[in-house]
Amino acid sequence: QDKVVELLKSLDKGEPNANHKVIAKMAKDGKLKSIMTTNFDEYIERALDEESVPYKLVCTNDEFREYYKNGCEDFAVLKLRGTMSRPETIISVAMHYSKHGGFGGHKSLVAHKFVKSYPTFFLGCSGWDFGYSTYQEFWAAVGKKEGEKIYFLKLKGRTNSSMISNLVGRHIGDRLIIGECVLPHSTISILERFQ
């Protein structure tokens, strides 16, 4: 486990890029409800700190339970796969994936609340893990009828549209919009529509 922790720390040497900075500026301007990420690096947190944006960091199942219990009201960085500064959270998620596949519990409930209540953007998401049965159950529960649009903005040139369409679209129908983006420019222009 110590070797895994050292390896993970070696991956967190960079700085926030333009995408993280644009997202942090949008958060500062009040354009985002929260940020949910599968990334365990801490670039988005650093970008939020640079912009002096207060946020709640939510990583563990207990933290997701508490956040859900409190109505998901605070602006938060919701880290589905844990965070670098607390490597035990990453290891815990990896063990859960190997036993159960995907996510569930209060992480799923928080994600469900957001995709039902707010326009939701998946930026640069490959969608590879949506094949897990727990994710399929999640998208089936989200459903086709109620809720806001769900945007999957794939990176320009990537060819994962059919996978996302098959794994997500069959459950949420016309709520799914797949587009291509060049970050951060596409992010800015799309989110400006929701002011």
Side-chain angles (χ1 to χ4, degrees), residues 78-95:
L78 306 160
K79 303 201 78 165
L80 295 174
R81 295 188 184 149
T83 192
M84 196 66 76
S85 60
R86 292 160 51 197
E88 71 280 0
T89 63
I90 301 169
I91 293 166
S92 169
V93 169
M95 292 175 74

Side-chain angles (χ1 to χ4, degrees), residues 122-142:
F122 289 83
L123 305 175
C125 178
S126 69
W128 71 266
D129 47 354
F130 292 153
Y132 282 115
S133 62
T134 53
Y135 279 104
Q136 288 298 290
E137 291 165 11
F138 168 78
W139 288 115
V142 168

